[in-house]
Amino acid sequence: MAGASDTDGDADAALVSVMGFSGFGKKARTFDFEAIFEQTRRTAIERSRRVREEENNAGNEELRHRTRRSPCDTDTDTDTGSDTDSDKSPLAQEQEIGPPLPPGYGEAQSDEEAQSDEEAQSDEEEEDIVKRIPDSHEITLQHGNKNVSALALDPSGARLVSGGYDYEVKLWDFAGMDSSVQAFRCLQPCECHHIKALQYSVTGDVILCVAGNAQAKVLDRDGFQVLECVKGDQYIVDQARTKGHTAMLNSGCWHPKVKEEFLTCSNDGTLRTWDMNNEKSQKNVFKPRSCQGKRVIPTACTYSRDGRLIAAACQDGSIQIWDRNMSVHTKFHSRRAHVPGTDTSCLAFSYNGNNLSSRGGDDTLKTWDVRKFQTPVHVESDLCNFYPMTDCCYSPDDRLLVTGTSVRRGAASGKLLFFDQRTFQKVYTIEVTDASVIRCLWHPKLNQIMVGTGNGQAKVYYDPVRSQRGAKLCVVKTKHKVKQSQAVTQDYIITPHALPMFREPRQKSTRKQLEKDRLDPIKSHKPEPPVSGPGRGGRVGTHGGTLSSFIVKNIALDKTDDSNPRAAILRHAKEAAENPYWVAPAYVRTQPNAVFAEPEPEEDEGEDEPQWKKRKV
C-alpha cells in the first residue's frame, strides 16, 4: 500500500509539473456493497415478519367470531387463551375446537353441503342471468303499418335505422328525439322493393341497404346515396364472369374488421364481396353447390367475428363456410343442417367465434361448434317461423341466445325467447305484441334490446340501471308544444344587407298613418265624378264607360254600306295614288307602276245558264 501511495504521489507531482493542476475534478465516491446488501436483507426480514404477524392477528380475530366455544371452555383457560391462540395457527385451532365428530359423519356432511352449495350456486347463476336481461322498461317506435323486416344500430348506439315491407327506411336519433319518438328522416332508397337487410359499417359512417332488387346500395348517416352496386349481365351462364348480381338479393352484411368491404347473397346462386372503392365490379365470387354439384340459392350470409370466414345457408338445407381468401372449396360443410326446401333465415356467430347459431325455416334453432361441424350441439324445435329474415343473436356476455317466434296476426302473441347457451334451457320469455317477432338485436354498448314486429312497430327494451344512453335519452324529454301562428296584418320581406334608404318603414299606428295620408295631395285627391253627356276633355261620356264601348258604339252608328268589299277598298285608291304613305315610297325606285285590273262590266244573266256558272258578287 505504501508503494502504491508513493506511486500516486509521483503521478500527481508529474501532472502538476506538466499541466499545472493535480487532478480532473472531484474524486469518485466509494460504496460498501456488503453493508448495503446486509441492511437490505434485514429490512426485508423485518417487513415479512411484520406482515405475517398482521395476517395471524386478523385470522385469529375472524376465527374468534366464527367459532362457538362450550361453557366449560369459557371458565377455563381465561388468562392463557390469548397466548395459546396467538401461538397456534388458525388451521390447528379449527381442528382442536369442540368435540370430535363421529367417524364418517364429517365426510358425508361435507358432500351434502357441497351438493347444496352447487345447487344454490346454479340457482343464483340462473337468477343472475335473468336479471341481466334489460326488459323492465320499453318504448315503441311506430315505423308503419307493415312488417319491420330490417333493424340496425350504429356501433356507438346513437342512431337506429329501420326498414320494412312498405319500401321505407326511417332513421331515428335517440339524442334528438323527445318522448313522442318520431323519426327525423323517411326515404325510399330502392323505390318499390321490400327492405330485407340494413347494417351500419364498423365505423358507423355508412349504411348497407339490401332490398328485393339486384343492386345493393350504400347510404350515408343522413340517408343519401353513396354507392350503388353494378348489375350483372343476366345472359352470361357463368355467374363468376359477370360484374354483379343478376337476381333478387336475400341478405348482406359488413366485414367486421375492414370498413370498405361488405358481402351480399342473391337468388342467382352466388355470394359476392364488394369494395367501396370499386363500384364497377365485385371483389370475389363464392358459388355454393349441392351434393350433386348443382347451383343452390343462398338465403342468409354472414362473416365470422374475426372476418376470416364467410358462412352461407342455402335452400337445400346446407350450411357452407368458406375461407375469406379461398373462394372455390368450402372449409366447413354441413349438408343436412336443416330441412331441404326451407329458407334458413339467419346465421349468427358467437362472440368467442367458436359457436354458430342458425334459425331455420323448419321451425328450429340449432347451435353448431365450428370445430366439429358435422352434427349440431343442440337443437331447439317448435319455434314457428313464417318470415325469411327472422333473427337470432347472442347476448353481449355470450351466455344467452335470443330469437323470436312468428304467429298469425291477432291469434296469439309473438314472443322473444332467451336460451342459456351452456345448458340449452329456455330461461326467459317476453311477450312482445300480438304479431310476429321478426328482428331482434342486443346492442353490447347500450345493453338494450331492439325488436322488429309484424305490425309495423319497433320496440326498444331497456333497464334504467343496467342500460346506457339510447332510449334513456329520449324518454326523459318532454314533448315540444306546437306554437300557434299569430295573425299578421301585413307581411314584410326583410332583405339582408339592404340599405337603410330602401327599407320600408314598419307600420306603428293606424291613426298616424291616416294623418300622414291626409297631408299627401296625391292620396287625398278627390276622385272626379262621372261625365254626363257626350264627354269632354278626352273623357268618354255616359254612353260608354270605356274606350272599347265607345268604339263599338261608333261602329254601330256608321251607315256606310260595305256589302261590296272590293268597292270599299278601291274607294281609297285615288287618295293612295296621289299621297302614297306606306308601300309605294319603299318601292318607288325599283318597282314599275302599279296596274289594277279594271272591273268587268256586268252582263245580263241568261235564263238558260246553270246555277254554278253564275258570278257571285
Side-chain angles (χ1 to χ4, degrees), residues 168-446:
E168 291 184 351
V169 172
K170 290 189 176 182
L171 287 86
W172 315 77
D173 189 358
F174 290 116
M177 288 191 300
D178 53 11
S179 58
S180 62
V181 288
Q182 299 294 327
F184 74 91
R185 182 150 299 161
C186 178
L187 62 147
Q188 291 186 1
C190 301
E191 296 180 353
C192 299
H193 295 283
H194 296 164
I195 307 300
K196 294 193 172 184
L198 293 169
Q199 189 179 16
Y200 276 91
S201 64
V202 65
T203 55
D205 54 347
V206 287
I207 308 169
L208 175 63
C209 178
V210 176
N213 57 349
Q215 297 173 273
K217 291 187 177 181
V218 178
L219 312 176
D220 62 0
R221 287 179 62 85
D222 295 327
F224 299 103
Q225 181 175 323
V226 177
L227 171 69
E228 183 179 13
C229 296
V230 67
K231 186 176 181 180
D233 190 352
Q234 58 186 348
Y235 297 104
I236 297 178
V237 178
D238 188 2
Q239 293 295 325
R241 296 184 179 275
T242 60
K243 297 182 178 180
H245 287 293
T246 60
M248 177 183 68
L249 298 176
N250 291 325
S251 181
C253 61
W254 286 97
H255 193 282
K257 302 295 183 181
V258 183
K259 65 178 183 179
E260 295 90 2
E261 183 180 334
F262 59 93
L263 171 69
T264 56
C265 65
S266 170
N267 276 358
D268 59 4
T270 61
L271 293 90
R272 300 175 190 263
T273 57
W274 303 82
D275 192 350
M276 284 191 61
N277 300 323
N278 182 17
E279 60 181 1
K280 299 300 182 181
S281 178
Q282 73 272 346
K283 190 175 180 181
N284 290 319
V285 180
F286 301 85
K287 295 188 288 186
R289 297 297 180 186
S290 64
C291 55
Q292 294 86 11
K294 298 180 180 180
R295 184 185 70 174
V296 292
I297 297 176
T299 58
C301 61
T302 186
Y303 281 101
S304 61
R305 293 289 178 176
D306 56 1
R308 297 180 180 179
L309 302 178
I310 292 177
C314 305
Q315 279 187 345
D316 63 343
S318 65
I319 297 178
Q320 305 181 25
I321 302 177
W322 293 267
D323 191 333
R324 174 172 165 263
N325 299 321
M326 301 291 292
S327 61
V328 179
H329 300 289
T330 57
K331 188 173 184 179
F332 305 103
H333 203 136
S334 179
R335 293 291 181 186
R336 297 296 179 182
H338 291 275
V339 176
T342 59
D343 292 344
T344 303
S345 57
C346 181
L347 293 175
F349 277 92
S350 62
Y351 284 92
N352 59 15
N354 296 328
N355 295 331
L356 173 68
S357 295
S358 60
R359 184 69 165 95
D362 53 357
D363 300 340
T364 60
L365 175 64
K366 296 186 178 182
T367 304
W368 308 80
D369 193 339
V370 179
R371 296 163 295 185
K372 187 181 179 183
F373 200 63
Q374 296 302 320
T375 57
V377 178
H378 179 72
V379 179
E380 190 71 28
S381 58
D382 297 332
L383 303 177
C384 193
N385 183 9
F386 294 158
Y387 297 94
M389 62 280 297
T390 303
D391 254 341
C392 64
C393 64
Y394 285 88
S395 62
D397 57 355
D398 252 356
R399 291 291 305 277
L400 296 174
L401 181 59
V402 188
T403 188
T405 59
S406 302
V407 295
R408 302 292 179 186
R409 181 172 293 187
S413 296
K415 297 179 181 179
L416 193 65
L417 306 178
F418 297 82
F419 299 91
D420 191 348
Q421 190 183 356
R422 298 179 181 176
T423 61
F424 303 106
Q425 296 179 356
K426 184 171 64 176
V427 296
Y428 197 66
T429 302
I430 299 177
E431 292 189 0
V432 180
T433 182
D434 59 348
S436 302
V437 176
I438 303 175
R439 290 289 187 179
C440 59
L441 177 65
W442 195 333
H443 197 271
K445 288 187 177 180
L446 301 183

Side-chain angles (χ1 to χ4, degrees), residues 495-567:
T495 58
H497 312 295
L499 295 175
M501 60 183 299
F502 296 110
R503 293 177 185 171
E504 182 181 357
R506 291 176 177 266
Q507 182 178 354
K508 297 180 180 180
S509 175
T510 308
R511 182 178 59 82
K512 291 184 179 180
Q513 185 66 27
L514 291 176
E515 291 178 357
K516 188 180 294 185
D517 293 343
R518 188 69 176 174
L519 299 177
D520 191 352
I522 298 177
K523 293 183 178 181
S524 62
H525 177 69
K526 181 181 179 182
E528 298 180 358
V531 179
S532 59
R536 62 180 181 273
R539 299 183 65 202
V540 182
T542 56
H543 293 286
T546 60
L547 180 61
S548 60
S549 62
F550 178 75
I551 294 174
V552 169
K553 178 175 177 288
N554 289 339
I555 292 175
L557 295 177
D558 190 6
K559 301 300 182 182
T560 57
D561 184 14
D562 292 338
S563 58
N564 190 355
R566 186 173 183 277

